[in-house]
Amino acid sequence: MDDATWQAEQFERQRPQLHAVAYRMLGSRSEAEDAVQEAWLRLSRSDDDSIGNLGGWLTTVVGRVCIDMLRARQARREDYVGTWLPEPIVNVDDSDDPEQRTVLADSVGLALLVVLETLTPSERLAFVLHDMLRWSPFFGQ
């Protein structure tokens, strides 16, 4: 297996986690996908040998990209009409157990969204990563 194939496989394993971080940071599925794609581009241009922990490196890159995107929003002074809510993610997978559904519902509560909107981009990243990585199988508990 060549380096490019290995790199692509490793990235695809990390993609759900990266997308979750970006979505929680940005509140938009399309912007989250843009942030994940930017992480892929940066990975493809990087030196594989210098990356010791690929999951951590990619999460850091996605976090920084999201911070840049949030700061760009502030610079453009984007204002939302009415109450800001993230785009919903519809999941029709019926194999989820009730516990998983409860965890998911708690993770996107309205109170959390209100708190996230009051934070600076850097504080928002710290909050999201702390919340997500606490339960992540990639980083342990």
Side-chain angles (χ1 to χ4, degrees):
M1 176 182 321
D2 65 345
D3 285 341
T5 304
W6 179 85
Q7 194 178 56
E9 287 178 3
Q10 295 301 312
F11 180 82
E12 288 304 319
R13 284 189 192 151
Q14 299 292 327
R15 183 183 287 273
Q17 176 80 10
L18 299 174
H19 194 272
V21 168
Y23 175 72
R24 285 187 177 182
M25 286 287 298
L26 301 169
S28 165
R29 289 177 42 206
S30 61
E31 286 182 328
E33 190 58 37
D34 290 345
V36 171
Q37 289 303 320
E38 178 62 26
W40 166 250
L41 292 173
R42 292 183 186 189
L43 177 62
S44 65
R45 293 186 304 239
S46 70
D47 178 22
D48 291 344
D49 298 333
S50 65
I51 301 172
N53 178 348
L54 184 63
W57 188 90
L58 286 168
T59 301
T60 300
V61 169
V62 166
R64 289 178 180 166
V65 168
C66 289
I67 286 174
D68 291 344
M69 293 172 83
L70 288 170
R71 287 181 178 153
R73 274 187 199 169
Q74 288 176 345
R76 291 189 307 261
R77 300 189 194 281
E78 289 184 7
D79 293 324
Y80 297 99
V81 176
T83 305
W84 179 86
L85 294 173
E87 298 172 1
I89 296 178
V90 178
N91 186 1
V92 292
D93 184 12
D94 292 333
S95 64
D96 289 344
D97 60 1
E99 179 184 8
Q100 183 65 24
R101 289 182 189 161
T102 302
V103 170
L104 180 61
D106 287 343
S107 71
V108 293
L110 184 57
L112 177 63
L113 298 175
V114 172
V115 170
L116 287 176
E117 281 301 303
T118 64
L119 302 175
T120 66
S122 298
E123 291 170 336
R124 192 172 184 164
L125 175 63
F127 184 86
V128 167
L129 290 179
H130 178 269
D131 184 52
M132 288 189 68
L133 299 181
R134 177 176 50 177
W135 306 107
S136 173
F138 297 109
F139 297 96
Q141 292 183 341

